[in-house]
């Protein structure tokens, strides 16, 4: 095991950092770090010299999850505003804006082959989008106890806060 010293960047975001994901390296480009913060931004960092390469905006509440596509070309950020912004890493061009109501999205994850984007939400579900057309494919929900009865905000509400894919991408 190799241990590395840790460094910090003062004021990396204007508020707390809630999420981070690596943008993989290619023969042409080094690995980069993508972070998201409560300051409503996602930021791309060069870890070799701790400099901010790009700041991505477009959310109106804090960014709580970021994910990078296996091709390195695109990334996604999710916010407490219930929107997912998919953008080109190099240009910051928005590719898609996905709505994930009725509640916030807590975590994003691209499938290993990049064909799908999974979003875990506080509304007891995982939503899957096809990444070719950015269409919602399916919503996987957790059944609620006593679902036949009207929903009570004070009731035993369940949340989905995390999502992961199996290495072959067949299970999530």
């Amino acid at each position: 095991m190799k241990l590395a010293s840790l460094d910090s960047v003062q004021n990396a975001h204007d508020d707390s950092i809630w999420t981070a994901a690596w943008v993989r390296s290619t023969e042409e480009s080094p690995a980069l770090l993508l972070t998201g913060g409560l300051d409503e931004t996602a930021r791309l960092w060069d870890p070799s010299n701790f400099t901010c390469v790009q700041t991505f905006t477009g959310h109106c509440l804090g960014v709580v999850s970021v994910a990078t596509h296996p091709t390195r070309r695109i990334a996604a950020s999710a916010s407490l505003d219930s929107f997912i912004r998919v953008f080109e890493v190099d240009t910051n061009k928005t590719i898609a804006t996905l709505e994930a109501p009725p509640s916030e999205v807590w975590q994003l994850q691209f499938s290993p082959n990049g064909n799908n984007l999974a979003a875990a939400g506080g509304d007891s579900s995982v939503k899957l989008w096809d990444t070719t057309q950015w269409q919602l494919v399916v919503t996987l929900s957790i059944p609620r106890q006593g679902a036949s009865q009207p929903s009570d905000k004070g009731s035993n509400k369940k949340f989905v806060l995390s999502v992961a894919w199996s290495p072959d991408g067949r299970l999530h």
Side-chain angles (χ1 to χ4, degrees), residues 87-165:
F87 55 92
E88 289 182 354
V89 170
D90 293 332
T91 66
N92 192 20
K93 177 184 173 194
T94 299
I95 295 172
T97 301
L98 310 173
E99 288 189 64
S103 188
E104 62 278 343
V105 172
W106 286 104
Q107 189 180 29
L108 299 171
Q109 195 69 247
F110 283 98
S111 60
N113 64 9
N115 291 341
N116 292 288
L117 175 66
D123 67 340
S124 306
S125 72
V126 172
K127 291 177 172 42
L128 296 178
W129 278 272
D130 170 84
T131 59
T132 57
Q133 301 294 317
W134 298 106
Q135 296 295 316
L136 184 63
V137 175
V138 68
T139 299
L140 309 169
S141 298
I142 295 174
R144 293 184 187 266
Q145 232 175 5
S148 61
Q149 300 173 359
S151 176
D152 179 354
K153 295 224 184 245
S155 67
N156 198 8
K157 188 173 181 182
K158 298 175 184 176
F159 292 89
V160 179
L161 299 176
S162 181
V163 65
W165 292 91

